[in-house]
């Protein structure tokens, strides 16, 4: 295909993104130089407010995968993707009401620290290693995606773009720490929305207005959203998106270090909850923009699909090709779109690098060297950011082999995020789960999710289950048509049309449920955990919602955990004793003394804050 190159103003707009992002890192490196502690670097001193954290959360997970992949998905499969707004809503409710309270009140820095408090060190280390692998794989995908866009629209060297992205991310993350990541994310979130709106306005005007977009999308069957088929093999149905999407994104939000780290950086639990709920508004806005960009793109290309015709070589190149078409005579605006795609990547990669550095430092470095000096801790944290920046950038090479970016990214989260969600759910919801059940459940979940994911990659689902919609090339110039050789189909095993054809959104469901079921069975076989040995702060008694009418049934569902022994939380200084006592109780298998005070409770505001956490001695 003929590559349409950037004009000077495109380079100016695009370069401005990198300059401002790097400048924020330099600003916070200078501003916070007198507070050069590892805690300040990794969790922003735990004094962030909800506004920038909410924008940061949205920007980090609405990455270039969303900017490039979602419009392409809507273009080919229809607007059923909009149903993710239900999944996002459920995810945020579960995260803020189930997972966040336990993590926040525990005063932890690494999410996986909870697993040692609830189970033991081997469970914690196993989960940390899986998280590191998952995040490096995922980050490779989101680094590769915008580099592909840049290569498509400008002709720049693909891998040169990859390394440029990695260098800038690593630079401001290493310099400024979490505060630089959060504030850079907030800036990049604005760039993403502006980029989407610009494409929507110009694209709809080129096809005769927004009403034409809706009409043509309806005629092309793109607005057939509600499909209540219960077949889990179907790629996108109402149930697949709502159930599978909730499991997938709950693994991303509910127990992911990158999310929880920014929530616990808030100065109170109320601010952390507000950050999540305001972030939900951001998720909805980005989702709606991406879906309507896909519909607008379909209206523009409805009579000559550039992918079927061979003008672009991959579906993920459709969006940048569309942008260069509609902005051909408007220098600067193509650069704004590519800046939009790169904004998603910069925010995601920086957040991932910061989270990887945090879990590695907290779970491995501090465990091996508990008395390390503050100065060395800060330098080690920065060194880890640099190391993981290099590793994540290098993983982009493998991402080029993984197909569509949306499916590749969510498949990675499904493989690892599902079993991790199951592991934390075992700890928070099931008081009788022991460490053997947790470890066995995690291994079972990982095995099942990897089995189905790799099988689906090797033997893709048949078209009857994916149902791609019709794309026309009737009005294309057939003299320039690129012919492609159809792939040679190999023999398929018996599982190819059943187990391996499971919707990619259910990979996380399989891993999560497999982990929970196996964990419960193994716990009962090996002897369930005694409730009196479990600190009530580590369990979320969800049974209270269903047994509110009867204290007898509530106590029965508590499985011996002493939830009713908790007193009014008035003593901010109780935090240091609680964590040390919990560790001792877990290690010795004995019931701790009366340690039920949750650190940092403020009865005046009826919320929790981080004031007491500075006094907590981390192990």
């Amino acid at each position: 295909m003929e590559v349409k190159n950037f004009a000077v103003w495109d380079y100016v707009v695009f370069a401005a993104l990198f300059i401002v992002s790097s400048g924020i890192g330099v600003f916070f490196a200078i501003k916070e130089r007198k507070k050069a502690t590892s805690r300040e670097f990794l969790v922003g001193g735990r004094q962030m407010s909800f506004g920038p954290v909410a924008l940061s959360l949205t920007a980090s997970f609405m990455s270039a995968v969303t900017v490039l992949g979602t419009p392409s998905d809507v273009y080919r499969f229809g607007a059923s993707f909009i149903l993710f707004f239900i999944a996002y809503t459920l995810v945020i409710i579960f995260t803020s009401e189930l997972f966040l309270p336990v993590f926040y009140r525990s005063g932890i820095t690494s999410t996986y620290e909870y697993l040692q408090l609830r189970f033991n060190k081997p469970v914690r280390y196993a989960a940390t290693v899986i998280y590191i692998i998952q995040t490096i794989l995922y980050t490779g995908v989101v680094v590769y995606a915008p580099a592909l866009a840049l290569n498509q629209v400008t002709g720049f060297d693909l891998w040169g773009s990859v390394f440029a992205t990695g260098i800038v991310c690593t630079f401001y993350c290493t310099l400024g720490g979490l505060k630089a990541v959060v504030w850079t994310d907030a800036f990049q979130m604005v760039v993403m929305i502006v980029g989407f709106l610009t494409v929507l306005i110009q694209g709809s005007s080129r096809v005769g207005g927004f009403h034409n977009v809706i009409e043509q999308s309806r005629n092309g069957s793109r607005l057939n959203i509600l499909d209540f088929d219960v077949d889990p093999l179907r790629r996108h149905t109402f149930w697949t998106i709502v159930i599978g999407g909730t499991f997938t994104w709950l693994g991303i939000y509910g127990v992911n270090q990158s999310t929880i780290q920014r929530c616990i950086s808030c100065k109170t639990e109320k601010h952390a909850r507000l950050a999540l709920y305001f972030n939900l508004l951001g998720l909805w806005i980005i989702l709606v923009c991406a879906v309507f960009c896909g519909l607008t793109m379909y209206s523009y290309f409805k009579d000559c699909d550039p992918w079927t015709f061979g003008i672009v070589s991959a579906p993920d190149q459709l969006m940048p090709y569309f942008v260069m078409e509609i902005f051909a005579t408007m220098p600067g605006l193509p650069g704004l779109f590519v800046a939009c795609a790169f904004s998603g990547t910069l925010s995601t990669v920086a957040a991932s690098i910061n989270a990887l550095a945090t879990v590695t430092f907290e779970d491995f470095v501090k465990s091996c060297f508990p008395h390390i000096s503050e100065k060395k801790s800060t330098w080690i944290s920065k060194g880890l950011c640099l190391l993981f920046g290099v590793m994540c950038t290098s993983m982009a090479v493998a991402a080029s082999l993984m197909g569509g970016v949306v499916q590749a990214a969510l498949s990675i989260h499904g493989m690892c995020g599902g079993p991790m969600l199951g592991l934390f759910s075992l700890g928070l919801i099931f008081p009788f789960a022991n460490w053997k059940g947790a470890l066995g459940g995690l291994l079972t979940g990982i095995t099942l999710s990897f089995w189905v994911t790799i099988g689906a990659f090797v033997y893709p689902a048949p078209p009857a289950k994916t149902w791609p919609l019709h794309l026309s090339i009737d009005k294309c110039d057939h003299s320039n048509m690129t012919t492609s050789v159809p792939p040679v189909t190999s023999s398929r095993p018996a599982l190819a049309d059943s187990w391996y054809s499971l919707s990619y959104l259910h990979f996380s469901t399989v891993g999560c449920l497999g982990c929970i079921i196996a964990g419960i069975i193994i716990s009962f076989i090996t002897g369930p955990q005694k409730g009196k040995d479990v600190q009530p702060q580590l369990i979320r008694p969800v049974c209270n919602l269903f047994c509110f009418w009867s204290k007898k049934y509530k106590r029965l569902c508590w499985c011996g955990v002493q939830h009713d022994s908790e007193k009014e939380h008035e003593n901010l200084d109780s935090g240091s004793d609680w964590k040390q006592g919990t560790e001792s109780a877990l290690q010795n298998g004995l019931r701790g003394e009366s340690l039920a005070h949750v650190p940092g409770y403020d009865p005046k505001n009826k919320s929790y804050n981080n004031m007491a956490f500075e006094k907590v001695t981390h192990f």
Side-chain angles (χ1 to χ4, degrees):
M1 62 170 286
E2 181 183 355
V3 176
K4 299 178 175 65
N5 291 317
F6 267 15
V8 174
W9 282 108
D10 295 316
Y11 288 106
V12 171
V13 172
F14 180 67
L17 172 71
F18 283 88
I19 293 171
V20 173
S21 298
S22 300
I24 292 173
V26 173
F27 171 77
F28 279 102
I30 296 173
K31 180 184 176 183
E32 307 293 332
R33 65 186 184 279
K34 294 182 180 179
K35 303 178 184 178
T37 65
S38 59
R39 182 172 296 269
E40 188 72 27
F41 183 82
L42 295 174
V43 290
R46 298 185 188 268
Q47 291 300 309
M48 302 291 291
S49 58
F50 70 88
V53 173
L55 291 172
S56 175
L57 285 170
T58 305
S60 293
F61 293 103
M62 295 292 101
S63 63
V65 170
T66 302
V67 176
L68 300 179
T70 301
S72 169
D73 196 280
V74 172
Y75 175 84
R76 293 187 295 146
F77 297 100
S80 59
F81 213 91
I82 196 70
L83 292 174
F84 270 99
F85 86 90
I86 302 176
Y88 292 158
T89 304
L90 294 174
V91 165
I92 296 303
I93 292 173
F94 281 126
T95 301
S96 62
E97 305 303 328
L98 178 62
F99 295 104
L100 176 65
V102 174
F103 293 144
Y104 193 94
R105 298 170 195 178
S106 299
I108 59 177
T109 299
S110 165
T111 312
Y112 308 100
E113 196 173 344
Y114 166 83
L115 295 175
Q116 181 173 347
L117 292 172
R118 176 65 178 85
F119 298 115
N120 59 13
K121 282 188 176 182
V123 176
R124 175 185 182 179
Y125 292 152
T128 302
V129 170
I130 292 170
Y131 170 76
I132 290 173
I133 295 171
Q134 168 196 358
T135 305
I136 292 174
L137 286 172
Y138 174 73
T139 307
V141 173
V142 297
V143 169
Y144 173 73
L148 177 64
L150 187 62
N151 174 260
Q152 173 71 21
V153 298
T154 69
F156 274 6
D157 180 75
L158 178 62
W159 300 114
S161 304
V162 166
F163 294 121
T165 305
I167 289 170
V168 171
C169 289
T170 306
F171 174 75
Y172 73 76
C173 181
T174 304
L175 276 183
L178 183 69
K179 285 187 177 180
V181 171
V182 168
W183 282 103
T184 307
D185 287 351
F187 161 70
Q188 290 159 357
M189 175 67 181
V190 174
V191 175
M192 288 176 69
I193 293 177
V194 171
F196 267 135
L197 291 178
T198 305
V199 173
L200 277 174
I201 294 169
Q202 176 66 6
S204 59
S205 67
R206 291 289 295 270
V207 295
F210 193 69
H211 63 283
N212 273 354
V213 171
I214 299 298
E215 184 64 27
Q216 291 165 4
S217 297
R218 183 182 292 110
N219 294 338
S221 302
R222 262 60 186 177
L223 297 185
N224 298 335
I225 295 172
L226 296 177
D227 180 354
F228 292 100
D229 188 349
V230 297
D231 184 0
L233 307 185
R234 289 279 306 283
R235 185 175 186 272
H236 281 174
T237 66
F238 177 87
W239 302 113
T240 299
I241 293 176
V242 172
I243 298 175
T246 298
F247 273 96
T248 299
W249 281 94
L250 195 55
I252 296 172
Y253 259 79
V255 299
N256 189 288
Q257 172 67 24
S258 184
T259 302
I260 300 301
Q261 182 174 339
R262 273 169 287 183
C263 288
I264 64 177
S265 73
C266 292
K267 52 190 174 185
T268 67
E269 185 181 332
K270 182 178 180 180
H271 272 262
R273 288 175 185 265
L274 285 173
L276 283 169
Y277 282 111
F278 275 92
N279 152 68
L280 178 59
L281 293 177
L283 294 178
W284 284 345
I285 291 171
I286 294 293
L287 176 64
V288 169
C289 288
V291 168
F292 278 104
C293 277
L295 296 177
T296 304
M297 184 163 59
Y298 170 75
S299 298
Y300 187 86
F301 290 129
K302 65 183 178 63
D303 295 321
C304 182
D305 170 38
W307 180 47
T308 305
F309 196 61
I311 298 175
V312 297
S313 58
D316 302 316
Q317 297 176 359
L318 285 165
M319 189 64 177
Y321 180 78
F322 173 59
V323 167
M324 292 305 293
E325 284 283 312
I326 63 176
F327 292 132
T329 59
M330 306 175 72
L333 292 182
L336 178 62
F337 167 75
V338 177
C340 169
F342 267 83
S343 291
T345 289
L346 292 173
S347 60
T348 302
V349 175
S352 298
I353 291 171
N354 190 262
L356 287 167
T358 301
V359 298
T360 304
F361 179 78
E362 291 289 332
D363 295 350
F364 294 117
V365 177
K366 286 188 73 172
S367 293
C368 297
F369 307 99
H371 303 296
I372 191 171
S373 68
E374 197 59 61
K375 184 176 181 180
K376 288 183 178 179
S377 297
T378 305
W379 280 107
I380 290 174
S381 300
K382 292 187 176 185
L384 289 171
C385 281
L386 181 62
L387 172 64
F388 284 117
V390 173
M391 293 179 67
C392 290
T393 305
S394 302
M395 268 308 302
V397 178
S400 64
L401 307 174
M402 298 188 70
V405 292
V406 169
Q407 187 161 333
L410 294 183
S411 296
I412 291 170
H413 279 305
M415 283 193 297
C416 302
M420 297 293 282
L421 174 62
L423 176 62
F424 280 97
S425 298
L426 272 175
L428 271 82
I429 301 175
F430 302 98
F432 52 81
N434 61 26
W435 72 268
K436 296 175 183 177
L439 203 56
L442 178 62
L443 293 175
T444 302
I446 287 287
T447 301
L448 288 173
S449 58
F450 267 73
W451 179 19
V452 66
T453 304
I454 295 173
F457 179 75
V458 177
Y459 302 103
K465 297 301 181 183
T466 57
W467 282 18
L469 299 175
H470 176 69
L471 295 167
S472 174
I473 57 171
D474 292 343
K475 295 186 180 180
C476 294
D477 182 3
H478 289 269
S479 62
N480 295 324
M481 183 174 183
T482 302
T483 57
S484 57
V485 179
V488 178
T489 56
S490 58
S491 58
R492 294 166 65 86
L495 291 176
D497 294 328
S498 53
W499 177 242
Y500 295 156
S501 294
L502 191 70
S503 171
Y504 71 96
L505 290 173
H506 279 313
F507 296 165
S508 184
T509 310
V510 167
C512 179
L513 296 181
C515 176
I516 292 175
I517 294 171
I520 291 174
I521 293 173
I522 295 172
S523 294
F524 275 113
I525 292 175
T526 58
Q529 178 85 23
K530 295 181 180 179
K532 64 180 182 179
D533 296 335
V534 180
Q535 286 297 320
Q537 292 90 347
L538 302 176
I539 303 293
R540 195 68 173 156
V542 294
C543 58
N544 290 2
L545 297 173
F546 308 103
C547 304
F548 60 88
W549 66 87
S550 171
K551 290 185 178 181
K552 176 183 177 181
Y553 289 119
K554 278 201 296 188
R555 287 177 176 274
L556 183 65
C557 293
W558 287 348
C559 301
V561 179
Q562 305 297 311
H563 290 292
D564 54 351
S565 67
E566 294 188 350
K567 302 176 182 177
E568 190 67 27
H569 312 296
E570 297 176 351
N571 186 0
L572 293 177
D573 294 332
S574 61
S576 57
D577 291 333
W578 175 77
K579 208 169 185 185
Q580 293 170 352
T582 302
E583 183 188 12
S584 176
L586 289 173
Q587 289 179 344
N588 298 324
L590 301 174
R591 180 180 176 182
E593 298 300 323
S594 180
L595 302 169
H597 296 291
V598 178
Y601 184 75
D602 183 356
K604 183 178 180 181
N605 296 321
K606 295 182 179 180
S607 182
Y608 296 80
N609 58 45
N610 284 302
M611 293 175 62
F613 293 157
E614 297 301 325
K615 299 180 181 181
V616 176
T617 303
H618 294 274
F619 49 85

